Amino acid sequence: MSESKIDTRLWSSKARNLSPYVPGEQPQHDNLCKLNTNENPFPPSPKVGEAIAKVLEQQADELRLYPAPESNDLRAALAQSYNLDINQVFVGNGSDEVLALVFASFFLKERPLLSPDIGYSFYPVYAQTFGVELVQIPLEEDFSIDPDAYRQPCSGIIIANPNAPTGLLLSLADIRKLASEHSNAVIVIDEAYIDFAQIDESNADLPVSAVSLINECDNVIVTQTFSKSRSLAGLRVGMAFGNASLIEALTRMKNSFNSYPLDKLAQAGATASVLDTEYFEQTRQQVIDLRTSLTAELTTLGYKVLPSHANFIFARPKDGNASAVASALREQGIIVRHFDKPRIAEYLRITIGTAEQNERLIDALKALQVDASVVAE
């Protein structure tokens, strides 16, 4: 049914006026090279399937029962992995649900919420949904975040770090500064891609994740997901880390909305993923290495590539014709993400694929350059 024929007379004014989030395209075609939704190119840990199969073997006794409402086994595994107490860990049905609960728990106030003008495009949708005033702070010319630009009254600040779609990383020093200067506001650091952040080899002992700040800064809450670095986008598991009072607020909100967010299979699979640290480290490093190689190849082709700390890169073709390049790639079955928005319309966001997928992309881009040069002649 086309939108023009939908009868909205029974809708609430809220539903009628919403502008929903539009996720990355999920096309279904043979021999598709899908580099547009930041999925991990590697499968999840084999132990995930084993854990889920074990639950299914006990189907008669297990699936007829409600799951553990607070996912305590998973939270305990995460707490141990991050050296936290279990009451500093929250889990939900994907990080999108966790973020929605964050908005509902902390930002329904008279003061506005601050966020970069270029970032995760779900934030404005959440703000509209929950009636939160959102003030977007422009990124610098190089797409970096200037903490000093956030010196204004607010109920909170939310930043994707590494940022999406740029892949740039805000330092812990800058996050600490934001938390200190806004001690009565909640600082949300959305770390969907943090596991792909490149560690500074000269300071390898320094942490990268803002989880390291939560015992120091009681107003910092960090969200993460199993969808990216743990290859479990189809399982829908997200988490948040913060001091016990922030986690209690999220728990109260969750239990007023959906008291059993994670089913038994998701809890079992996610717990197994957390415990398989060796597989996690191997695949995480492989993605980082593939990102380095793809960045070098694109740079050789004349692309401007921002220094990415995510499992994608943000790249500008030499002529800035990103839309044309995306269309030409699509004709060859290669899907990348193009945002037709101010300041970033000349860039492509390209998910890091397997070595074979990346090679197919580079070969296609080389062919496009050859074709363009022939036409120019």
Side-chain angles (χ1 to χ4, degrees):
M1 180 182 292
S2 67
E3 185 174 347
S4 61
K5 295 181 180 180
I6 294 177
D7 181 3
T8 63
R9 64 187 176 86
L10 300 180
W11 292 19
S12 69
S13 58
K14 171 69 73 175
R16 190 178 298 113
N17 294 324
L18 285 176
S19 299
Y21 170 74
V22 179
E25 183 184 4
Q26 296 281 2
Q28 301 294 324
H29 299 292
D30 294 336
N31 197 30
L32 185 70
C33 184
K34 187 171 176 290
L35 303 176
N36 66 319
T37 51
N38 300 340
E39 292 146 323
N40 198 307
F42 302 107
S45 162
K47 294 183 179 180
V48 171
E50 294 170 8
I52 291 175
K54 186 175 181 180
V55 175
L56 292 175
E57 288 172 4
Q58 305 169 0
Q59 179 174 355
D61 288 332
E62 290 294 321
L63 294 187
R64 68 181 179 83
L65 304 173
Y66 283 108
E70 306 304 336
S71 305
N72 283 338
D73 288 347
L74 174 56
R75 290 170 61 227
L78 286 167
Q80 181 178 12
S81 177
Y82 286 85
N83 195 29
L84 300 171
D85 295 329
I86 192 171
N87 64 1
Q88 294 176 301
V89 181
F90 177 87
V91 294
N93 188 7
S95 63
D96 285 337
E97 180 187 69
V98 174
L99 287 167
L101 294 172
V102 164
F103 270 69
S105 298
F106 305 118
F107 301 145
L108 294 179
K109 302 176 181 178
E110 293 181 356
R111 293 174 296 166
L113 170 67
L114 310 181
S115 187
D117 65 334
I118 298 172
Y120 186 27
S121 54
F122 220 141
Y123 301 153
V125 177
Y126 289 134
Q128 183 186 28
T129 301
F130 291 104
V132 174
E133 180 187 357
L134 180 66
V135 174
Q136 295 182 306
I137 310 297
L139 295 179
E140 298 295 287
E141 287 300 315
D142 62 356
F143 298 118
S144 64
I145 292 173
D146 177 11
D148 292 339
Y150 289 76
R151 286 179 174 162
Q152 55 184 283
C154 64
S155 64
I157 297 171
I158 186 165
I159 293 172
N161 195 46
N163 198 11
T166 67
L168 299 184
L169 188 70
L170 185 67
S171 72
L172 291 184
D174 284 339
I175 295 172
R176 183 184 288 109
K177 180 178 181 179
L178 288 171
S180 175
E181 293 181 350
H182 297 275
S183 59
N184 292 320
V186 176
I187 311 302
V188 181
I189 306 301
D190 181 359
E191 293 187 341
Y193 304 100
I194 195 65
D195 292 325
F196 303 110
Q198 187 68 59
I199 297 173
D200 184 351
E201 296 298 335
S202 63
N203 295 286
D205 293 333
L206 293 179
V208 176
S209 170
V211 172
S212 61
L213 298 179
I214 65 175
N215 286 322
E216 172 189 348
C217 306
D218 66 0
N219 59 332
V220 169
I221 192 162
V222 180
T223 62
Q224 293 186 7
T225 178
F226 281 71
S227 295
K228 311 302 181 182
S229 60
R230 296 189 180 275
S231 306
L232 290 173
L235 210 59
R236 310 312 303 133
V237 181
M239 59 276 210
F241 307 103
N243 78 66
S245 66
L246 296 179
I247 297 304
E248 176 60 23
L250 288 177
T251 303
R252 288 169 62 87
M253 190 62 69
K254 173 198 59 104
N255 288 338
S256 301
F257 173 71
N258 180 9
S259 55
Y260 297 96
L262 289 185
D263 62 52
K264 288 177 179 286
L265 304 184
Q267 290 186 38
T271 302
S273 175
V274 173
L275 296 177
D276 194 353
T277 55
E278 182 178 359
Y279 184 88
F280 168 74
E281 289 295 338
Q282 287 177 352
T283 54
R284 181 185 73 88
Q285 189 59 51
Q286 282 181 275
V287 172
I288 292 173
D289 292 342
L290 286 165
R291 181 183 69 204
T292 300
S293 299
L294 183 58
T295 297
E297 291 269 19
L298 286 170
T299 301
T300 299
L301 292 178
Y303 279 66
K304 175 185 177 181
V305 183
L306 299 189
S308 175
H309 289 268
N311 69 330
F312 59 83
I313 56 179
F314 204 51
R316 181 187 183 277
K318 184 165 52 177
D319 297 327
N321 55 341
S323 178
V325 171
S327 297
L329 290 174
R330 174 180 290 274
E331 293 178 2
Q332 300 184 50
I334 303 171
I335 311 298
V336 297
R337 194 79 186 265
H338 175 250
F339 298 91
D340 188 15
K341 296 181 178 180
R343 298 185 64 190
I344 59 173
E346 294 186 347
Y347 286 78
L348 297 171
R349 193 193 69 187
I350 305 171
T351 303
I352 305 302
T354 62
E356 293 75 17
Q357 288 176 318
N358 293 347
E359 182 178 1
R360 180 176 167 186
L361 169 69
I362 292 299
D363 287 345
L365 291 175
K366 288 179 178 177
L368 288 178
Q369 288 190 346
V370 170
D371 291 344
S373 64
V374 170
V375 170
E377 291 178 0

